[in-house]
Amino acid sequence: MTTLAANGAGSLRHALEAAGPRLVVFEVGGVIDLAGRTLTVRNPHLTVAGQTAPDPGITLIRGGLIVETHDVVIQHLAVRPGDAGPPGKEWAPDAMGVRRGNHGPVHDVVFEHCSATWSIDENLSTSGPGDVTDPSLTASDITLRHCLIAEALSNATHPKGEHSKGTLIHDGVRNVAIEGCVYAHNLERNPRLKGGATALVRDSVMYNWGSACVGVGAKGNDQMLTPAEVTLAGNVAIAGPDTRGKVFVKGLDPGARALVRDNLIFSLGIADKNVIVSEAPASLSANPRQSAERALRRAGSRPARRDPIDTRIVRSVITGTGTIIDSQKEVGGYPERPATARAVVVPADRQAWLDGLSRELAEDVTLDVAALWARLAGR
């Protein structure tokens, strides 16, 4: 990628719309203003390697990035749609996610080291048709790893009104893995599983939700489906200034299941009476404090060199501050970043090269995580 323009030769949109197996690398860094047009990936066998961009990395604003195909990896991107959509048009984008549309199977998709904030619908979701339970007809086998999923806008431009939501796992979407992620300042869906859905959520942090942290149910769009099942292991859940929901897992319909192990839950109950709770397998044993420290150090698009937005959000978890917001304007507005450029030469061993660049960005070693445990010691 050689330009920060939203369209045209050398743009990210041009690369995503190309056909055939492809690796997208970046010779530029800065902000891409999508001007209300979300990016959609419909051709499979794609890796978007945001770690190849020069500092300050790649941030997308005023639009999202949605995958409607299979065998896709998205790494080291920040996506921040905000409420400044196109004038006169309905504006309710996700920041990132997958969606089964009319372009064939959606499976084996990975979002890794991404920052998904300021969405109008969900920040980072896995979606498909309503009331579907056949995995071949919806999305399946989706991984969210080391992502920061935060500050979904509450009373913004969604046609339904209030809509601060983290992650929705839609009707019948199965085998979703959420690993080492940080959820913060989303009213609900941290994550939420609808009827027929299954997910593993492990080694993650949930902070300052409003009415619900993790939600599980049996209802699809219009029909009652098989109750959802979520496995929760090694997570840390911390109520914040906006938290009203006082259980870790909220049952939206009777019969949904939660398998739990080694979660650290502050000032909360495990689940309400609508949830069937049992023990998760011993193979998922974890040290939740260590898991939380890793998640806080590693979540987001460029953890070792976080931008001011991600820095503020992660520090709010540690200090017990921050709030659910209605507009990005409340927290400084859309980012302004210098445009940067450097030549990129892809070596023969491209995977080792990409992994090395990712490791350089993967961890904030200066973060004072001990301050979190000191703050929570009295709870």
Side-chain angles (χ1 to χ4, degrees):
M1 210 194 85
T2 57
T3 178
L4 295 173
N7 308 287
S11 70
L12 180 56
R13 189 183 303 276
H14 184 262
L16 298 185
E17 292 178 351
R22 57 218 187 275
L23 168 65
V24 179
V25 299
F26 296 82
E27 293 193 334
V28 291
V31 176
I32 300 174
D33 186 344
L34 297 175
R37 291 186 60 212
T38 284
L39 299 169
T40 305
V41 179
R42 291 175 174 148
N43 294 320
H45 305 293
L46 165 71
T47 296
V48 178
Q51 65 267 43
T52 62
D55 287 333
I58 297 294
T59 298
L60 310 180
I61 65 170
R62 299 179 65 215
L65 193 161
I66 303 299
V67 176
E68 293 188 350
T69 186
H70 59 90
D71 294 283
V72 174
V73 178
I74 309 291
Q75 296 176 309
H76 294 278
L77 295 183
V79 184
R80 312 190 193 279
D83 58 15
K89 294 183 179 180
E90 184 176 290
W91 182 242
D94 287 354
M96 309 182 80
V98 302
R99 178 177 61 218
R100 174 63 188 265
N102 299 318
H103 301 279
V106 177
H107 59 81
D108 295 289
V109 179
V110 177
F111 295 90
E112 185 172 38
H113 283 298
C114 291
S115 299
T117 64
W118 303 348
S119 68
I120 305 298
D121 200 353
E122 277 91 28
N123 273 325
L124 207 173
S125 281
T126 62
S127 299
D131 303 312
V132 168
T133 57
D134 182 345
S136 69
L137 299 177
T138 185
S140 66
D141 300 285
I142 312 300
T143 299
L144 318 181
R145 183 182 297 123
H146 303 316
C147 292
L148 179 61
I149 304 166
E151 290 188 339
L153 302 185
S154 186
N155 294 293
T157 59
H158 199 285
K160 294 181 180 179
E162 196 292 318
H163 214 78
S164 172
K165 318 299 181 189
T167 296
L168 179 64
I169 302 173
H170 209 260
D171 308 13
V173 174
R174 304 182 69 80
N175 299 334
V176 176
I178 300 174
E179 304 170 347
C181 293
V182 174
Y183 286 89
H185 312 303
N186 307 304
L187 188 78
E188 297 177 341
R189 305 182 187 177
N190 300 280
R192 175 190 171 184
L193 285 71
K194 295 185 70 181
T198 65
L200 167 65
V201 185
R202 64 178 304 173
D203 304 329
S204 296
V205 175
M206 298 82 164
Y207 169 65
N208 193 39
W209 60 93
S211 54
C213 185
V214 178
V216 290
K219 190 174 186 299
N221 272 14
D222 299 303
Q223 302 176 24
M224 298 303 289
L225 307 173
T226 304
E229 181 175 290
V230 63
T231 300
L232 297 154
N235 303 292
V236 173
I238 308 166
D242 299 308
T243 300
R244 303 189 305 276
K246 298 300 184 182
V247 294
F248 183 33
V249 187
K250 181 176 181 178
L252 305 168
D253 316 292
R257 292 175 55 83
L259 285 71
V260 301
R261 179 174 287 272
D262 297 335
N263 299 288
L264 188 57
I265 303 168
F266 287 91
S267 305
L268 306 167
I270 290 285
D272 64 25
K273 63 182 180 181
N274 283 335
V275 182
I276 300 170
V277 178
S278 57
E279 190 172 53
S283 59
L284 294 175
S285 291
N287 182 320
R289 289 191 177 223
Q290 291 180 359
S291 296
E293 292 183 12
R294 284 194 300 268
L296 290 165
R297 292 185 190 279
R298 296 178 182 177
S301 62
R302 296 173 85 82
R305 299 195 288 274
R306 283 187 170 118
D307 73 2
I309 297 166
D310 284 4
T311 296
R312 173 181 53 77
I313 292 170
V314 170
R315 287 180 177 169
S316 77
V317 179
I318 291 173
T319 59
T321 56
T323 188
I324 295 168
I325 62 174
D326 295 328
S327 172
Q328 72 282 350
K329 297 174 185 175
E330 298 173 31
V331 287
Y334 288 117
E336 296 181 3
R337 305 276 188 265
T340 57
R342 70 176 178 203
V344 172
V345 177
V346 180
D349 191 347
R350 63 174 60 180
Q351 192 58 57
W353 174 64
L354 293 175
D355 290 346
L357 291 174
S358 187
R359 283 193 296 271
E360 290 177 12
L361 294 172
E363 186 164 358
D364 180 354
V365 298
T366 67
L367 190 68
D368 182 12
V369 183
L372 172 65
W373 310 124
R375 178 173 73 82
L376 296 173
R379 290 199 180 187

